[in-house]
Amino acid sequence: QSSRHISAMNPRIKTCWSRQSAFTSVELLVVIAIVLTLALFSIIGVSRYMEQGRKSRTLNQFRNFETGMTLYVGDYQKPPIPDSKWTYGWDTIYGDPGGKYSTQFVVSALKGELADDEGDISYDGETFSARAANPRNETYVVFPYAPDKKAGVGDDGKLYDPWGGEIMIAINVENSIDSELEDFDNGKNDRRMHTWGLAEYTETKPKEQAYVLWSYGKDKKKGKNAPDVNSVVSLQSSDDVVSW
């Protein structure tokens, strides 16, 4: 009764309460908008952090592979490649996007532990023995098993990056074993690494490395807006990961 009496005496009090209530509702909406914005920024930040983590895992895969390659070459005085590539001195590609040159052969040769009747693998339309490439059956790389085909070797025997794309490998056949080399002969018996455009970017490309590895990242496309894998485009601002 007192409250009604006061309101009747001073009608501005009721108006004030209404205005205060309306202002609180607007303020609440502003707070909700701010919280949603912060949540969105957090999600974006976490996503970027996860992508950086995947890139780091990819580089670790590269380092692990390169260590195994060095040990293999030390034992056999040649890289793990099909016989025909070795005979003619051609630089060798594994894991190309077209699927013609799978990583199965090099993975099997480096991981070892193959039975005598295992390791016959198709490469470039021919069948080669990974067991013959590693007759000592030594284990040079311990590859993580990846049934989801991410960051390891899948059930198909191929080596995958953390995004599920096949890791690409190029071996400079002659330069991986100290020998007399030509300056450049399109990837045959020469000093320069030849990747048939797959690892060439505007800013960089492999030169005289013995072997290199790279990944086209999350989008599985070369560089920044490449119309095809042979186009020379920018590496900067892309999600590709390279070892050189």
Side-chain angles (χ1 to χ4, degrees):
Q1 185 177 1
S2 301
S3 178
R4 286 198 299 270
H5 178 70
I6 293 172
S7 296
M9 292 178 60
N10 191 351
R12 287 181 298 173
I13 293 178
K14 185 174 182 180
T15 304
C16 266
W17 277 108
S18 298
R19 288 178 180 172
Q20 183 65 31
S21 178
F23 178 77
T24 302
S25 299
V26 171
E27 186 178 46
L28 181 60
L29 290 174
V30 170
V31 170
I32 291 172
I34 292 173
V35 170
L36 290 175
T37 302
L38 291 175
L40 178 61
F41 285 146
S42 297
I43 292 171
I44 294 173
V46 169
S47 177
R48 287 178 180 172
Y49 178 80
M50 290 177 66
E51 286 305 301
Q52 284 300 118
R54 291 188 180 100
K55 287 187 176 183
S56 295
R57 290 181 69 187
T58 305
L59 289 172
N60 285 334
Q61 285 183 283
F62 292 172
R63 285 188 282 268
N64 187 40
F65 191 96
E66 289 171 340
T67 299
M69 284 282 290
T70 301
L71 294 173
Y72 179 97
V73 172
D75 276 355
Y76 290 108
Q77 298 303 300
K78 68 176 185 178
I81 58 172
D83 292 337
S84 61
K85 297 291 185 181
W86 171 251
T87 300
Y88 296 104
W90 283 106
D91 291 353
T92 304
I93 298 286
Y94 293 107
D96 71 301
K100 188 177 181 181
Y101 309 116
S102 162
T103 52
Q104 290 171 311
F105 179 88
V106 68
V107 166
S108 295
L110 290 177
K111 77 177 183 180
E113 300 179 355
L114 297 170
D116 290 340
D117 59 348
E118 290 182 324
D120 290 339
I121 295 169
S122 176
Y123 179 90
D124 194 16
E126 299 181 66
T127 299
F128 299 94
S129 171
R131 180 71 177 85
N134 183 0
R136 300 180 189 178
N137 226 4
E138 297 282 353
T139 297
Y140 295 99
V141 181
V142 177
F143 294 102
Y145 173 56
D148 60 351
K149 296 184 178 180
K150 292 183 179 180
V153 175
D155 291 327
D156 55 6
K158 298 177 182 180
L159 181 61
Y160 292 95
D161 62 26
W163 298 279
E166 194 172 0
I167 284 178
M168 287 162 280
I169 303 158
I171 298 177
N172 191 346
V173 174
E174 291 295 328
N175 211 19
S176 61
I177 50 152
D178 303 325
S179 60
E180 294 296 326
L181 304 173
E182 302 290 336
D183 284 337
F184 182 66
D185 188 21
N186 201 36
K188 182 179 180 182
N189 292 321
D190 59 10
R191 185 179 306 280
R192 192 182 307 172
M193 171 74 74
H194 192 50
T195 67
W196 287 268
L198 297 178
E200 294 187 24
Y201 297 89
T202 306
E203 307 92 339
T204 182
K205 66 179 179 179
K207 294 182 180 178
E208 296 187 7
Q209 293 90 338
Y211 18 82
V212 295
L213 298 92
W214 69 102
S215 160
Y216 288 158
K218 182 179 180 180
D219 62 5
K220 299 180 178 61
K221 296 180 180 179
K222 181 183 178 183
K224 193 72 174 175
N225 301 321
D228 58 70
V229 294
N230 299 114
S231 300
V232 179
V233 294
S234 178
L235 173 66
Q236 187 176 5
S237 300
S238 75
D239 57 2
D240 294 19
V241 185
V242 302
S243 70
W244 63 92

